[in-house]
Amino acid sequence: VGEIRRFLRDDSPVKVSRSYKEIAQRIHRVRQELNGSLGREPTVQEIAGAMNMPVEDVVEALEAVQLPTSIHETLYQ
Amino acid sequence: MKTKNQVKLEFPSIPENVALARVIVATMLAGMDFTLTDLDDAKVAVSEAVSNAILHGYQNRPNGLVYLTITADPEGLEVIVEDYGRGIVDVAKAMEPAFSTLGDRMGMGFVFMQSFMDKVDVDSQVGRGTRVRMYKACRQAMRAVQ
Amino acid sequence: MKTKNQVKLEFPSIPENVALARVIVATMLAGMDFTLTDLDDAKVAVSEAVSNAILHGYQNRPNGLVYLTITADPEGLEVIVEDYGRGIVDVAKAMEPAFSTLGDRMGMGFVFMQSFMDKVDVDSQVGRGTRVRMYKACRQAMRAVQ
Ligand SMILES: Nc1ncnc2c1ncn2[C@@H]1O[C@H](COP(=O)(O)OP(=O)(O)O)[C@@H](O)[C@H]1O
Ligand SMILES: Nc1ncnc2c1ncn2[C@@H]1O[C@H](COP(=O)(O)OP(=O)(O)O)[C@@H](O)[C@H]1O
Ligand SMILES: [Mg+2]
Ligand SMILES: [Mg+2]
């Protein structure tokens, strides 16, 4: 099953990749946790540090899961 | 970031490259003292400026070239978006909320740039092109001022 | 992508920009007919080429300029990494597995580039600089050949 899942993940179109979605969800979770413990919004470096992940991977995952919304939807959702 | 980093880009005026400009700016900000909110804000501002260059500057023709210069130093990040397109007749008017020369647009691009970045300068010449310079100060630099 | 897209970049030879080059290539590939594995492969190849430009070409001096040209068309993606650094004395030798002029390195950079991309050309002149051209064909283009 692990092999099949890996195959599906790796061969799925990039934009809807499950792994990007999972990473993005974790980023938001860690962001909230740090917000609580620090008493302020964490920097991207702090989030990446807590996840043991390079900052550019944080950026990439968030960008990949972002749907092509219009500027209006982005701001007023 | 200990020292200065200046990245220069040149790309054709096609919509795909708006996303590219966003990612590049976000990646440079991510290595500095900024939050995810700052990244989202800067991405909107850069999207608006690059979209304007493509849509208004080059009137959606794909054969124009857009120039992006991003300069990072310990204090903050400067983003310059340039096009050699049609230019703006009246910059002050163009920057007013809800002003647009295209009927179906919101006319809020410059307003977003100004609310999401700490500084926005626009330089334009009709028939020559437009240069938008935006600046965002790091969290630390902001705190030092307060 | 219906037509061609060519993005040109210039950045100083500092390690931070390796990540930037990777993200840019990944973003351009993401809009094309490639899988996540392809993205990861191309990211490794680009990292190796840009790291070489910084580490070997400019010998880790931060004041060199690295040039990245990425060209996407419906068939595939071409990445060119150029530096105006010290150059390579014997390119064939340099591309051999485990060859490195620095004692503590694996000497596998060129091997990775060749295994992760469909084509790798290296052009170098001692004292002038180095140009690495890499090409990766889209999934569809690959299937058409098979
Ligand atoms: N790069 C540019 N080249 C030419 N005209 C521009 C450019 N950027 C903005 N403008 C002009 O300024 C106006 C306002 O821009 P903006 O606030 O982004 O609103 P919108 O893009 O919705 O029209 C545009 O309608 C256009 O006339
Ligand atoms: N851009 C470059 N400029 C100068 N020399 C280079 C460049 N790229 C590679 N080389 C030479 O080729 C050798 C092999 O490169 P590589 O396979 O990446 O291994 P490594 O980087 O681990 O040494 C390097 O040790 C260096 O001598
Ligand atoms: Mg606009
Ligand atoms: Mg190497």
Side-chain angles (χ1 to χ4, degrees), chain C residues 59-81:
Chain C
Q59 299 163 271
N60 252 334
R61 283 189 307 263
N63 58 337
L65 287 176
V66 180
Y67 297 83
L68 183 65
T69 306
I70 312 170
T71 310
D73 71 21
E75 258 79 64
L77 191 95
E78 182 195 64
V79 179
I80 296 174
V81 178

Side-chain angles (χ1 to χ4, degrees), chain B:
Chain B
M1 172 148 349
K2 274 152 259 148
T3 124
K4 212 178 82 164
N5 188 13
Q6 183 171 70
V7 176
K8 292 185 189 175
L9 255 109
E10 176 196 305
F11 53 82
S13 49
I14 54 176
E16 283 99 311
N17 290 328
V18 175
L20 191 71
R22 288 159 58 94
V23 178
I24 292 167
V25 168
T27 305
M28 290 187 68
L29 286 167
M32 302 167 67
D33 185 24
F34 285 107
T35 66
L36 279 180
T37 306
D38 295 329
L39 262 67
D40 286 337
D41 289 354
K43 285 202 280 190
V44 171
V46 170
S47 297
E48 293 295 329
V50 174
S51 301
N52 279 354
I54 297 172
L55 185 66
H56 302 298
Y58 294 117
Q59 298 163 271
N60 251 334
R61 285 189 306 263
N63 58 338
L65 287 176
V66 180
Y67 297 83
L68 184 66
T69 306
I70 312 170
T71 311
D73 70 21
E75 257 81 64
L77 190 94
E78 181 195 64
V79 179
I80 296 174
V81 178
E82 282 168 293
D83 68 68
Y84 293 89
R86 70 189 320 210
I88 303 176
V89 180
D90 183 342
V91 171
K93 185 108 207 133
M95 293 180 82
E96 282 175 13
F99 177 88
S100 179
T101 47
L102 291 180
D104 57 336
R105 311 252 329 151
M106 286 207 298
M108 296 298 282
F110 280 126
V111 175
F112 290 154
M113 290 180 231
Q114 285 176 310
S115 36
F116 290 144
M117 301 293 277
D118 295 315
K119 207 168 176 335
V120 179
D121 291 319
V122 182
D123 217 352
S124 189
Q125 267 190 289
V126 175
R128 287 291 188 85
T130 302
R131 180 179 180 278
V132 175
R133 183 191 162 276
M134 302 183 275
Y135 185 79
K136 198 165 184 67
C138 286
R139 290 274 150 172
Q140 213 180 337
M142 292 290 280
R143 279 194 291 274
V145 180
Q146 279 156 12

